[in-house]
Amino acid sequence: NAGVTQTPKFRILKIGQSMTLQCTQDMNHNYMYWYRQDPGMGLKLIYYSVGAGITDKGEVPNGYNVSRSTTEDFPLRLELAAPSQTSVYFCASSYSGGGVTDTQYFGPGTRLTVL
Amino acid sequence: DAKTTQPPSMDCAEGRAANLPCNHSTISGNEYVYWYRQIHSQGPQYIIHGLKNNETNEMASLIITEDRKSSTLILPHATLRDTAVYYCIVRVFGGGADGLTFGKGTHLIIQP
């Protein structure tokens, strides 16, 4: 299994541009998450999904959108990029159900700079 | 989820046991203690979790006090590759899809 993969690894955007961060997992997990991590800080939840077609806001959703059309994919869309969105973005997935440990598995991250 | 308190940084000599403390005095009866770590620039990695009994796996041991108000993560023979930020997180087991609450964690530095 590849686990959780993210593309791109790095990206520089100009203010006002848009982009989509891709996230794919091959573990058949039902839950998926997007976090951001600013320098020297812990991760903050942006959006999450409990299954295909179902998404909900986390702690810091402003400026982002998500969709989940399949179990495997959970793209994060940035509209009108702002310098405050300069951060490292991590996607994660977990399986929840039947008393199974809901360990979250993280991707390698996307480092985004908005200038 | 209950709040946790960890020291910002710790040093440990290579080959020695690294003991990382965590206070969670407001933990509820149905909340577990989880530990994750983040090696520089990588995504966080799950280490171990427990409710009230001590737990051990191939990576580490978790000691939870009897009153459950604090815990210690033990890396028995620390190596340079264990240098990372370690996060102690308290949450309900299978606690829904509302994500993990990460604080600033403890930056563990393993010295050669």
Side-chain angles (χ1 to χ4, degrees), chain B residues 15 19 34 44-45 48 50-51 53 59 62 66-67 88 93 95 108 110-111:
Chain B
N19 296 276
Y34 288 79
Q45 175 190 25
I48 198 167
L51 180 63
N53 298 318
M59 290 182 68
L62 175 61
E66 190 168 347
D67 64 7
C88 171
F93 178 78
L108 175 67
I110 306 300
Q111 305 282 1

Side-chain angles (χ1 to χ4, degrees), chain A residues 1 3 25-32 68 71-72 93-96:
Chain A
N1 288 352
Q25 55 92 8
D26 63 358
M27 297 173 282
N28 201 32
H29 286 167
N30 48 352
Y31 287 5
M32 294 187 74
R68 188 147 178 225
T71 299
E72 296 78 19
S93 71
S94 68
Y95 178 76
S96 187

